Amino acid sequence: MDNGASSYRRFLDGDRNSFTELVTEYWDGLTLYLSGFACSITEAEEFAEEVFLKLYADKPKFAGKSSFKTWLYAIGRNTVLNMLRKRRKVRELPLDDFYEASDKEDIERNHIHDENKRLLYGAMEELHGDYRQVLYLVYFENFGVAETAEIMHKNEKQVSNLLYRAKAALKKNLEKEGFEYEEL
């Protein structure tokens, strides 16, 4: 059982400090993942807050069929998609124009340590949403194809194909900029 699962189990048993451990452990990664759905890092942080609020209030059951991180990211994806669906119905106007972009840079700097990854992440922002998601989950969060398929609600073949196309699109974008990365 991974650390997140044991912390969550302790939280369900009444240890509120273990919830703080969960937020500390998964906040940055979840926020960066959810930024693929958001217009800004501020909106991604709002999404992450909503996910942790859902965990805290609803206390969904973790069955252990996947890693805790996979389960959490799947909850995050579903929560964000539901929020976006509701927003379209209400036609909310985004308030993101009032926030600084520096928040995003701080989280990226803390989470993405090496310069090549930072450049790749910047190039990934130009890609289609599914391409960004699959690349982020596989290469930044080190999820396997099966776990990525579970999070994205796709089968493993679809994820493999999506990953292949995403890598090709990313390579093309990077080559336009004159950047060469051998691992692509």
Side-chain angles (χ1 to χ4, degrees), residues 10 12 27 31 61 79 97-98 102 104 109 151 172 176 178-179:
R10 287 194 330 268
L12 292 177
W27 178 265
T31 301
K61 183 180 179 208
T79 301
D97 298 336
F98 299 104
S102 63
K104 184 172 186 174
R109 193 175 310 110
I151 291 169
K172 183 178 177 183
K176 284 181 193 175
F179 181 76

Side-chain angles (χ1 to χ4, degrees), residues 1-9 11-12 19 22 26 30 33-34 51-80 137 141 143 146-153:
M1 186 176 286
D2 65 327
N3 187 34
S6 62
S7 294
Y8 187 64
R9 190 180 72 248
F11 166 69
L12 292 177
F19 191 78
L22 288 173
Y26 295 104
L30 182 64
Y33 169 63
L34 298 177
V51 171
F52 283 111
L53 180 63
K54 181 176 223 143
L55 282 183
Y56 192 85
D58 296 347
K59 297 179 176 103
K61 183 180 179 208
F62 173 63
K65 294 179 183 177
S66 62
S67 74
F68 180 81
K69 187 175 179 180
T70 302
W71 179 75
L72 178 64
Y73 279 48
I75 288 175
R77 179 183 186 279
N78 293 336
T79 301
V80 168
L137 291 171
E141 292 295 330
F143 283 115
E147 292 173 314
T148 301
E150 185 176 333
I151 291 169
M152 294 182 72
H153 295 285

Side-chain angles (χ1 to χ4, degrees), residues 12-120:
L12 292 177
D13 292 338
D15 179 8
R16 296 193 190 274
N17 291 331
S18 60
F19 191 78
T20 304
E21 293 172 14
L22 288 173
V23 174
T24 302
E25 176 81 19
Y26 295 104
W27 178 265
D28 287 347
L30 182 64
T31 301
L32 281 175
Y33 169 63
L34 298 177
S35 72
F37 297 97
C39 298
S40 70
I41 196 66
T42 304
E43 186 178 36
E45 288 174 337
E46 290 173 14
F47 291 156
E49 286 174 8
E50 191 67 30
V51 171
F52 283 111
L53 180 63
K54 181 176 223 143
L55 282 183
Y56 192 85
D58 296 347
K59 297 179 176 103
K61 183 180 179 208
F62 173 63
K65 294 179 183 177
S66 62
S67 74
F68 180 81
K69 187 175 179 180
T70 302
W71 179 75
L72 178 64
Y73 279 48
I75 288 175
R77 179 183 186 279
N78 293 336
T79 301
V80 168
L81 292 177
N82 286 338
M83 289 174 69
L84 293 174
R85 225 176 277 121
K86 288 178 185 175
R87 282 185 185 175
R88 271 186 250 139
K89 289 179 184 175
V90 177
R91 293 186 181 176
E92 274 185 16
L93 295 176
L95 298 175
D96 299 328
D97 298 336
F98 299 104
Y99 298 104
E100 295 289 326
S102 63
D103 291 340
K104 184 172 186 174
E105 293 171 8
D106 290 341
I107 289 177
E108 285 177 11
R109 193 175 310 110
N110 291 337
H111 192 73
I112 305 168
H113 302 292
D114 113 276
E115 183 63 24
N116 286 339
K117 286 185 180 178
R118 197 176 350 269
L119 292 171
L120 283 172

